């Protein structure tokens, strides 16, 4: 009986110690690395999600990005984070070839990686990441193109403000195939300077007056394009779709300039990877599949449901 009691006491002590270890396993340090330049307001929702989730999970996640959007700088951020020995890395696959080496090096060091936003599940698996959290870009563009086709659209302009990211081209390609045409010179490399974007949109629409639709890939291209369309008196006449949301995009949906915005739910993209890494580091558990956060379509009919949350949670 004495030995049984001693064994029970030892078991209780081990259980208590293990529980205490799990309960106190907080304060992990992660880094969330994006390709977005400082000028891209879309990532403000990501930053808010990081702040909220840090508080919820009891961790520290630092948001880092190349100020100008330079992908070589982004690769260096991955290398620096890996060298610092963080507990986990969250990173967008803005360009597989540029980021492959640094991400694989981090994985080889035993640092768990979750890829997010840009890139594909297949690319994520090749990099050795735990999973991918994001929106399948080609499929999102395809869904948008099918909507446009139902509205009778046969031609379009795709305003690509980050053409160096292959995922952006997939959005335009999907849109083209949804309409039923091949992607060619309908895709314009607009850059991110608002005046240049606006001028390039005006120039294209002037040279191609039969253009039926315009697709923009986020606030950096959508907002100057809205101004271009209104300056030319085409608001309400030109079929207009965009990716992502902002206050100006929401207003354009309400006034009829924009027909729809594709919401990939950036709050979830900011939050889910932190939750995944925290649970993996603490308990060794992770979802068995990647998680798709979009696409969802925001239109005039449902904009009221999301407008008050735009820029913070949507």
């Amino acid at each position: 009986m004495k030995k049984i009691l001693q064994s029970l006491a030892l078991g209780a002590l081990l259980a208590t110690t293990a529980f205490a270890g799990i309960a106190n396993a907080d304060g992990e340090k992660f880094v969330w690395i994006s390709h977005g330049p400082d000028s891209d307001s879309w990532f403000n929702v990501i930053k808010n999600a990081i702040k909220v989730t840090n508080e919820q999970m009891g961790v520290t996640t630092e948001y880092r990005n190349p100020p100008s959007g330079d992908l070589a700088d982004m690769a260096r951020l991955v290398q620096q984070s890996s060298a610092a020995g963080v507990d986990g890395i969250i990173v967008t696959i803005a360009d597989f070839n540029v980021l492959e080496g640094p991400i694989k090096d981090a994985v080889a060091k035993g640092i768990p990686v979750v890829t997010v936003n840009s890139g594909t599940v297949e690319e994520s698996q090749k990099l050795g990441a735990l999973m991918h959290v994001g929106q399948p870009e080609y499929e999102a563009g395809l869904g948008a193109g099918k909507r446009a086709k139902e509205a009778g659209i046969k031609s379009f302009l795709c305003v690509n403000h980050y053409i160096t990211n292959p995922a952006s081209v997939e959005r335009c390609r999907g849109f083209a195939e949804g309409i039923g045409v091949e992607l060619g010179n309908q895709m314009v490399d607009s850059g991110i300077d608002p005046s240049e974007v606006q001028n390039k949109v005006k120039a294209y629409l002037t040279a191609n007056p039969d253009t039926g639709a315009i697709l923009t890939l986020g606030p950096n291209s959508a907002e100057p394009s809205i101004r271009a369309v209104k300056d030319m008196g085409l608001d309400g006449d030109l079929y207009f779709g965009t990716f992502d949301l902002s206050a100006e995009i929401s207003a354009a949906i309400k006034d009829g300039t924009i027909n729809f915005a594709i919401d990939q739910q950036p709050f979830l993209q900011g939050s889910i990877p932190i939750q995944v890494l925290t649970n993996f580091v603490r308990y060794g558990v992770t979802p068995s599949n990647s998680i798709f956060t979009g696409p969802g379509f925001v239109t005039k009919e449902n904009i009221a449901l999301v407008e008050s949350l735009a820029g913070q949670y949507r």
Side-chain angles (χ1 to χ4, degrees):
M1 178 64 71
K2 184 176 180 181
K3 288 183 178 179
I4 293 174
L5 292 173
Q6 286 175 335
S7 297
L8 290 172
L10 178 60
L13 176 61
L14 290 174
T16 302
T17 302
F19 178 79
I22 292 175
N24 293 325
D26 57 4
E28 290 86 358
K29 294 183 178 180
F30 307 128
V31 61
W32 207 114
I33 303 171
S34 90
H35 58 272
D38 289 345
S39 61
D40 195 337
S41 62
W42 184 83
F43 284 92
N44 289 341
V45 177
I46 295 285
K47 295 173 187 176
N48 184 55
I50 291 171
K51 178 178 180 295
V52 170
T53 311
N54 279 345
E55 294 171 355
Q56 291 173 339
M57 305 300 291
V59 300
T60 300
T61 307
E62 179 185 4
Y63 175 86
R64 303 195 68 187
N65 68 299
S68 66
D70 183 88
L71 296 184
D73 286 344
M74 183 184 177
R76 283 189 284 272
L77 291 176
V78 178
Q79 292 170 333
Q80 292 167 5
S81 300
S82 178
V86 295
D87 294 306
I89 294 174
I90 301 159
V91 59
T92 66
I93 314 175
D95 188 310
F96 183 88
N97 294 327
V98 172
L99 297 169
E100 178 182 14
I103 293 175
K104 283 187 173 180
D105 286 346
V107 172
K109 290 180 179 179
I111 299 173
V113 172
V114 173
T115 60
V116 64
N117 185 259
S118 292
T120 66
V121 172
E122 292 74 21
E123 289 175 336
S124 181
Q125 292 171 343
K126 288 178 182 178
L127 293 171
L130 295 177
M131 65 184 303
H132 184 72
V133 179
Q135 172 178 262
E137 303 295 5
Y138 170 80
E139 288 79 2
L142 183 67
K146 289 180 177 179
R147 276 180 169 252
K149 184 177 182 178
E150 290 176 0
I153 301 303
K154 298 179 180 179
S155 61
F156 72 100
L157 162 65
C158 185
V159 189
N160 192 333
H161 67 272
Y162 64 125
I163 203 166
T164 54
N165 186 332
S168 68
V169 179
E170 287 300 286
R171 291 179 172 184
C172 297
R173 186 172 72 87
F175 190 79
E177 295 192 10
I179 291 174
V181 301
E182 290 187 11
L183 180 64
N185 60 8
Q186 313 100 319
M187 182 172 67
V188 171
D189 178 6
S190 67
I192 60 174
D193 179 82
S195 296
E196 289 188 14
V197 176
Q198 187 171 344
N199 290 335
K200 287 182 178 180
V201 170
K202 284 184 175 181
Y204 185 94
L205 295 177
T206 299
N208 301 273
D210 294 331
T211 300
I214 183 170
L215 178 72
T216 57
L217 305 188
N220 276 24
S221 51
E223 292 172 0
S225 296
I226 291 169
R227 293 190 284 275
V229 167
K230 288 187 174 183
D231 285 350
M232 298 179 74
L234 297 174
D235 45 317
D237 294 329
L238 188 68
Y239 193 88
F240 195 147
T242 187
F243 281 76
D244 306 327
L245 289 166
S246 71
E248 193 168 341
I249 290 172
S250 296
I253 292 174
K254 290 198 301 180
D255 70 23
T257 301
I258 290 182
N259 295 79
F260 65 81
I262 299 173
D263 181 17
Q264 60 178 305
Q265 301 189 95
F267 187 88
L268 293 181
Q269 293 182 12
S271 179
I272 289 174
I274 299 172
Q275 297 177 47
V276 168
L277 283 177
T278 301
N279 285 301
F280 180 77
V281 170
R282 292 181 185 177
Y283 316 121
V285 296
T286 184
S288 59
N289 295 304
S290 293
I291 297 174
F292 292 154
T293 62
F297 289 89
V298 180
T299 66
K300 202 169 188 177
E301 284 69 36
N302 62 6
I303 184 63
L305 296 175
V306 299
E307 184 182 26
S308 63
L309 302 175
Q312 189 173 13
Y313 299 101
R314 297 296 296 265

